[in-house]
Amino acid sequence: FFVSSSPIMAVTFGLRPILHWVALIIAALMVLAPFVSVYGVGEWYPMDKENHCGIVSGSWKVFHISHLLLWSLLLAAVVATFPRVLILDKEREEYRYVMAVGQEMVIPFDHIVDFEKVGPDMSGYGYIRFTTSLLPFIFRPAIGTDALLLEHEEAFGAWQASSRNPRGKAAAAKAKPPTSSPSATEKTPIAPAAAKAGNAGSTETAAEP
């Protein structure tokens, strides 16, 4: 599938990982190589004292076993990290990078530093890299790079304007003008009764000889 949404504001994007497929095929072939060498091709061995040689199959050597162990580990790592889907959860304000065996890597919005295209365009279906505070992630969305960038800008812009965003709070606090108390030079309003009393005193003073 390409894109599916759910009522909880989570959007699921399918992935088309070319690099992972290439790595998977190479690792699988390298795991099969020792079996082909030992049981299919065989090795030449001297058969008698006159150095007559013949092909012997089924003889495992140390390099066969070490080769098999190394590439088996690499194959297991590629399968375990094979990307399945990318989930954009607008409610939780995070991405979830889901891999083949079911584990998820959660990337909160406040850990994302950059989100951009990388590598060849591939007619709009290339790779996207978003850099986090921990490590970068590179993936190839089935929906296309431009469509996913639009979804990201919309969700990320809403999060930046949200009050739950710590960056947004800091920016809002910085932009808010400081409230100042009345200065000492400002005139304090005089009550009407006090004003009348002051005027009467001034009249009496003026009437005295």
Side-chain angles (χ1 to χ4, degrees), residues 116-156:
E116 61 182 353
K117 297 180 182 179
V118 63
D121 184 67
M122 300 183 189
S123 301
Y125 290 90
Y127 276 83
I128 286 180
R129 176 183 64 199
F130 66 87
T131 307
T132 69
S133 56
L134 298 177
L135 71 161
F137 288 83
I138 301 177
F139 55 89
R140 182 171 178 258
I143 194 177
T145 53
D146 293 332
L148 183 57
L149 286 174
L150 288 176
E151 289 280 349
H152 170 76
E153 290 175 0
E154 178 183 353
F156 205 69

Short mmCIF file of all heavy atoms in Angstrom, two decimals, residues 116-156:
data_model
loop_
_atom_site.label_atom_id
_atom_site.label_comp_id
_atom_site.label_asym_id
_atom_site.label_seq_id
_atom_site.Cartn_x
_atom_site.Cartn_y
_atom_site.Cartn_z
N GLU A 116 15.02 16.58 4.28
CA GLU A 116 15.32 17.02 2.92
C GLU A 116 15.53 15.82 2.00
O GLU A 116 15.71 14.69 2.44
CB GLU A 116 16.58 17.89 2.93
CG GLU A 116 17.82 17.14 3.44
CD GLU A 116 19.05 18.00 3.49
OE1 GLU A 116 18.98 19.15 3.01
OE2 GLU A 116 20.08 17.54 4.00
N LYS A 117 15.51 16.11 0.68
CA LYS A 117 15.81 15.10 -0.33
C LYS A 117 17.31 14.83 -0.33
O LYS A 117 18.11 15.70 -0.04
CB LYS A 117 15.38 15.56 -1.71
CG LYS A 117 13.89 15.78 -1.88
CD LYS A 117 13.59 16.24 -3.29
CE LYS A 117 12.11 16.54 -3.49
NZ LYS A 117 11.82 17.01 -4.87
N VAL A 118 17.68 13.61 -0.72
CA VAL A 118 19.09 13.25 -0.81
C VAL A 118 19.26 12.25 -1.96
O VAL A 118 18.39 11.43 -2.21
CB VAL A 118 19.60 12.66 0.53
CG1 VAL A 118 18.88 11.36 0.86
CG2 VAL A 118 21.10 12.45 0.50
N GLY A 119 20.38 12.36 -2.67
CA GLY A 119 20.65 11.42 -3.76
C GLY A 119 19.91 11.78 -5.04
O GLY A 119 19.33 12.86 -5.17
N PRO A 120 19.90 10.86 -6.01
CA PRO A 120 19.22 11.11 -7.29
C PRO A 120 17.71 11.24 -7.10
O PRO A 120 17.12 10.64 -6.20
CB PRO A 120 19.58 9.88 -8.14
CG PRO A 120 19.95 8.84 -7.15
CD PRO A 120 20.57 9.54 -5.99
N ASP A 121 17.09 12.02 -8.00
CA ASP A 121 15.66 12.30 -7.87
C ASP A 121 14.78 11.09 -8.19
O ASP A 121 13.72 10.91 -7.59
CB ASP A 121 15.29 13.47 -8.79
CG ASP A 121 13.84 13.89 -8.64
OD1 ASP A 121 13.48 14.41 -7.56
OD2 ASP A 121 13.07 13.69 -9.60
N MET A 122 15.20 10.25 -9.14
CA MET A 122 14.44 9.06 -9.56
C MET A 122 13.00 9.40 -9.95
O MET A 122 12.05 8.72 -9.54
CB MET A 122 14.43 8.00 -8.44
CG MET A 122 15.79 7.50 -8.02
SD MET A 122 15.67 6.20 -6.76
CE MET A 122 17.37 6.02 -6.30
N SER A 123 12.84 10.45 -10.73
CA SER A 123 11.52 10.89 -11.20
C SER A 123 10.56 11.18 -10.04
O SER A 123 9.37 10.91 -10.12
CB SER A 123 10.91 9.84 -12.13
OG SER A 123 11.73 9.62 -13.26
N GLY A 124 11.10 11.75 -8.99
CA GLY A 124 10.25 12.11 -7.85
C GLY A 124 10.08 11.01 -6.82
O GLY A 124 9.33 11.19 -5.86
N TYR A 125 10.77 9.88 -7.01
CA TYR A 125 10.64 8.75 -6.07
C TYR A 125 12.02 8.37 -5.51
O TYR A 125 12.36 7.19 -5.45
CB TYR A 125 9.99 7.56 -6.77
CG TYR A 125 8.54 7.78 -7.10
CD1 TYR A 125 8.15 8.34 -8.31
CD2 TYR A 125 7.55 7.45 -6.18
CE1 TYR A 125 6.82 8.57 -8.61
CE2 TYR A 125 6.21 7.67 -6.47
CZ TYR A 125 5.85 8.24 -7.68
OH TYR A 125 4.53 8.47 -7.96
N GLY A 126 12.77 9.38 -5.13
CA GLY A 126 14.09 9.12 -4.57
C GLY A 126 14.05 8.94 -3.06
O GLY A 126 13.04 8.55 -2.48
N TYR A 127 15.18 9.26 -2.47
CA TYR A 127 15.34 9.07 -1.02
C TYR A 127 15.17 10.40 -0.28
O TYR A 127 15.42 11.48 -0.83
CB TYR A 127 16.71 8.48 -0.70
CG TYR A 127 16.76 6.97 -0.82
CD1 TYR A 127 16.94 6.36 -2.04
CD2 TYR A 127 16.60 6.17 0.31
CE1 TYR A 127 16.99 4.98 -2.16
CE2 TYR A 127 16.64 4.79 0.20
CZ TYR A 127 16.83 4.20 -1.03
OH TYR A 127 16.87 2.84 -1.13
N ILE A 128 14.74 10.29 0.97
CA ILE A 128 14.62 11.43 1.88
C ILE A 128 15.46 11.15 3.10
O ILE A 128 15.47 10.03 3.61
CB ILE A 128 13.15 11.68 2.28
CG1 ILE A 128 12.39 12.29 1.10
CG2 ILE A 128 13.06 12.60 3.48
CD1 ILE A 128 10.93 12.57 1.41
N ARG A 129 16.15 12.18 3.56
CA ARG A 129 16.94 12.05 4.79
C ARG A 129 16.42 13.07 5.80
O ARG A 129 16.30 14.24 5.49
CB ARG A 129 18.41 12.32 4.52
CG ARG A 129 19.29 12.31 5.78
CD ARG A 129 20.72 12.66 5.46
NE ARG A 129 20.81 14.02 4.94
CZ ARG A 129 21.85 14.48 4.25
NH1 ARG A 129 22.86 13.69 3.96
NH2 ARG A 129 21.88 15.74 3.82
N PHE A 130 16.07 12.56 6.99
CA PHE A 130 15.82 13.53 8.05
C PHE A 130 16.80 13.28 9.18
O PHE A 130 16.99 12.18 9.65
CB PHE A 130 14.35 13.59 8.50
CG PHE A 130 13.81 12.38 9.17
CD1 PHE A 130 13.96 12.20 10.53
CD2 PHE A 130 13.10 11.44 8.45
CE1 PHE A 130 13.43 11.09 11.16
CE2 PHE A 130 12.55 10.34 9.08
CZ PHE A 130 12.72 10.16 10.43
N THR A 131 17.45 14.37 9.54
CA THR A 131 18.50 14.35 10.54
C THR A 131 17.91 14.63 11.90
O THR A 131 17.15 15.58 12.07
CB THR A 131 19.58 15.39 10.21
OG1 THR A 131 20.01 15.21 8.86
CG2 THR A 131 20.76 15.26 11.15
N THR A 132 18.24 13.78 12.85
CA THR A 132 17.76 13.96 14.22
C THR A 132 18.94 14.31 15.12
O THR A 132 20.08 14.36 14.69
CB THR A 132 17.08 12.68 14.73
OG1 THR A 132 18.07 11.65 14.91
CG2 THR A 132 16.04 12.19 13.75
N SER A 133 18.63 14.56 16.38
CA SER A 133 19.68 14.88 17.34
C SER A 133 20.55 13.67 17.66
O SER A 133 21.61 13.81 18.25
CB SER A 133 19.06 15.42 18.63
OG SER A 133 18.12 14.50 19.16
N LEU A 134 20.10 12.46 17.27
CA LEU A 134 20.87 11.24 17.54
C LEU A 134 21.60 10.75 16.30
O LEU A 134 22.81 10.57 16.31
CB LEU A 134 19.94 10.15 18.08
CG LEU A 134 19.24 10.47 19.41
CD1 LEU A 134 18.30 9.34 19.79
CD2 LEU A 134 20.25 10.72 20.51
N LEU A 135 20.86 10.51 15.19
CA LEU A 135 21.47 9.99 13.98
C LEU A 135 20.54 10.27 12.81
O LEU A 135 19.34 10.50 13.01
CB LEU A 135 21.74 8.48 14.08
CG LEU A 135 20.54 7.53 14.06
CD1 LEU A 135 21.02 6.14 13.71
CD2 LEU A 135 19.84 7.48 15.40
N PRO A 136 21.05 10.26 11.58
CA PRO A 136 20.18 10.50 10.41
C PRO A 136 19.46 9.23 9.97
O PRO A 136 19.95 8.12 10.17
CB PRO A 136 21.17 10.97 9.35
CG PRO A 136 22.46 10.32 9.73
CD PRO A 136 22.47 10.23 11.23
N PHE A 137 18.29 9.41 9.36
CA PHE A 137 17.51 8.32 8.80
C PHE A 137 17.34 8.59 7.31
O PHE A 137 17.03 9.71 6.90
CB PHE A 137 16.13 8.21 9.46
CG PHE A 137 16.16 7.69 10.86
CD1 PHE A 137 16.43 8.54 11.91
CD2 PHE A 137 15.92 6.35 11.13
CE1 PHE A 137 16.46 8.07 13.21
CE2 PHE A 137 15.95 5.88 12.42
CZ PHE A 137 16.22 6.73 13.47
N ILE A 138 17.55 7.56 6.49
CA ILE A 138 17.39 7.67 5.04
C ILE A 138 16.39 6.60 4.60
O ILE A 138 16.54 5.43 4.92
CB ILE A 138 18.73 7.49 4.31
CG1 ILE A 138 19.73 8.56 4.76
CG2 ILE A 138 18.53 7.57 2.80
CD1 ILE A 138 21.10 8.41 4.15
N PHE A 139 15.37 7.00 3.86
CA PHE A 139 14.34 6.06 3.41
C PHE A 139 13.76 6.56 2.09
O PHE A 139 13.92 7.72 1.70
CB PHE A 139 13.24 5.92 4.46
CG PHE A 139 12.61 7.22 4.88
CD1 PHE A 139 11.52 7.73 4.21
CD2 PHE A 139 13.14 7.93 5.94
CE1 PHE A 139 10.96 8.93 4.58
CE2 PHE A 139 12.59 9.14 6.33
CZ PHE A 139 11.49 9.64 5.65
N ARG A 140 13.09 5.65 1.39
CA ARG A 140 12.50 5.96 0.08
C ARG A 140 10.98 5.74 0.16
O ARG A 140 10.52 4.61 0.14
CB ARG A 140 13.11 5.07 -0.98
CG ARG A 140 12.60 5.33 -2.40
CD ARG A 140 13.42 4.56 -3.42
NE ARG A 140 12.92 4.75 -4.76
CZ ARG A 140 12.17 3.86 -5.41
NH1 ARG A 140 11.86 2.71 -4.83
NH2 ARG A 140 11.75 4.11 -6.64
N PRO A 141 10.20 6.80 0.24
CA PRO A 141 8.75 6.65 0.38
C PRO A 141 8.09 6.25 -0.93
O PRO A 141 8.45 6.74 -2.01
CB PRO A 141 8.29 8.04 0.83
CG PRO A 141 9.33 8.97 0.29
CD PRO A 141 10.62 8.21 0.30
N ALA A 142 7.11 5.36 -0.84
CA ALA A 142 6.41 4.93 -2.04
C ALA A 142 5.51 6.02 -2.59
O ALA A 142 5.19 6.03 -3.78
CB ALA A 142 5.57 3.68 -1.72
N ILE A 143 5.10 6.95 -1.76
CA ILE A 143 4.22 8.04 -2.20
C ILE A 143 4.96 9.09 -3.00
O ILE A 143 4.36 9.91 -3.68
CB ILE A 143 3.54 8.68 -0.97
CG1 ILE A 143 2.38 9.56 -1.40
CG2 ILE A 143 4.52 9.47 -0.14
CD1 ILE A 143 1.61 10.16 -0.24
N GLY A 144 6.28 9.10 -2.93
CA GLY A 144 7.08 10.10 -3.61
C GLY A 144 7.63 11.13 -2.63
O GLY A 144 7.03 11.39 -1.58
N THR A 145 8.76 11.73 -3.00
CA THR A 145 9.42 12.65 -2.07
C THR A 145 8.63 13.94 -1.88
O THR A 145 8.49 14.43 -0.76
CB THR A 145 10.83 12.97 -2.60
OG1 THR A 145 10.74 13.43 -3.95
CG2 THR A 145 11.71 11.74 -2.55
N ASP A 146 8.09 14.50 -2.97
CA ASP A 146 7.38 15.77 -2.86
C ASP A 146 6.13 15.65 -2.00
O ASP A 146 5.83 16.52 -1.17
CB ASP A 146 7.03 16.30 -4.24
CG ASP A 146 8.25 16.69 -5.06
OD1 ASP A 146 9.27 17.04 -4.44
OD2 ASP A 146 8.20 16.62 -6.30
N ALA A 147 5.37 14.57 -2.19
CA ALA A 147 4.15 14.39 -1.41
C ALA A 147 4.45 14.21 0.07
O ALA A 147 3.75 14.76 0.93
CB ALA A 147 3.37 13.18 -1.94
N LEU A 148 5.51 13.46 0.38
CA LEU A 148 5.85 13.28 1.79
C LEU A 148 6.37 14.57 2.41
O LEU A 148 6.09 14.86 3.58
CB LEU A 148 6.87 12.16 1.94
CG LEU A 148 7.26 11.81 3.37
CD1 LEU A 148 6.04 11.42 4.19
CD2 LEU A 148 8.28 10.69 3.42
N LEU A 149 7.13 15.35 1.65
CA LEU A 149 7.62 16.62 2.18
C LEU A 149 6.46 17.56 2.49
O LEU A 149 6.50 18.30 3.49
CB LEU A 149 8.58 17.27 1.18
CG LEU A 149 9.97 16.63 1.09
CD1 LEU A 149 10.77 17.28 -0.05
CD2 LEU A 149 10.73 16.79 2.40
N LEU A 150 5.42 17.56 1.65
CA LEU A 150 4.24 18.38 1.94
C LEU A 150 3.54 17.94 3.23
O LEU A 150 3.14 18.77 4.05
CB LEU A 150 3.27 18.32 0.76
CG LEU A 150 3.69 19.06 -0.51
CD1 LEU A 150 2.67 18.84 -1.62
CD2 LEU A 150 3.85 20.55 -0.24
N GLU A 151 3.41 16.62 3.39
CA GLU A 151 2.80 16.11 4.63
C GLU A 151 3.64 16.51 5.85
O GLU A 151 3.09 16.89 6.89
CB GLU A 151 2.67 14.59 4.55
CG GLU A 151 1.63 14.08 3.57
CD GLU A 151 0.23 14.16 4.15
OE1 GLU A 151 0.09 14.40 5.36
OE2 GLU A 151 -0.73 13.98 3.37
N HIS A 152 4.95 16.40 5.71
CA HIS A 152 5.82 16.75 6.83
C HIS A 152 5.75 18.23 7.17
O HIS A 152 5.67 18.61 8.35
CB HIS A 152 7.26 16.37 6.50
CG HIS A 152 8.25 16.88 7.49
ND1 HIS A 152 8.43 16.31 8.74
CD2 HIS A 152 9.12 17.93 7.44
CE1 HIS A 152 9.35 16.98 9.41
NE2 HIS A 152 9.78 17.96 8.64
N GLU A 153 5.76 19.09 6.15
CA GLU A 153 5.71 20.53 6.40
C GLU A 153 4.40 20.92 7.07
O GLU A 153 4.38 21.77 7.96
CB GLU A 153 5.88 21.28 5.08
CG GLU A 153 7.29 21.17 4.50
CD GLU A 153 7.39 21.82 3.13
OE1 GLU A 153 6.36 22.34 2.66
OE2 GLU A 153 8.49 21.80 2.54
N GLU A 154 3.31 20.29 6.66
CA GLU A 154 2.02 20.59 7.29
C GLU A 154 2.00 20.18 8.76
O GLU A 154 1.62 20.96 9.64
CB GLU A 154 0.89 19.88 6.53
CG GLU A 154 -0.48 20.11 7.13
CD GLU A 154 -1.55 19.32 6.40
OE1 GLU A 154 -1.24 18.72 5.35
OE2 GLU A 154 -2.70 19.30 6.89
N ALA A 155 2.44 18.94 9.03
CA ALA A 155 2.42 18.45 10.41
C ALA A 155 3.45 19.18 11.27
O ALA A 155 3.17 19.54 12.42
CB ALA A 155 2.69 16.95 10.43
N PHE A 156 4.62 19.43 10.71
CA PHE A 156 5.68 20.08 11.48
C PHE A 156 5.33 21.55 11.74
O PHE A 156 5.63 22.09 12.81
CB PHE A 156 7.01 19.98 10.73
CG PHE A 156 8.21 20.05 11.60
CD1 PHE A 156 8.51 19.02 12.48
CD2 PHE A 156 9.07 21.14 11.57
CE1 PHE A 156 9.63 19.07 13.30
CE2 PHE A 156 10.18 21.20 12.38
CZ PHE A 156 10.47 20.17 13.25
#
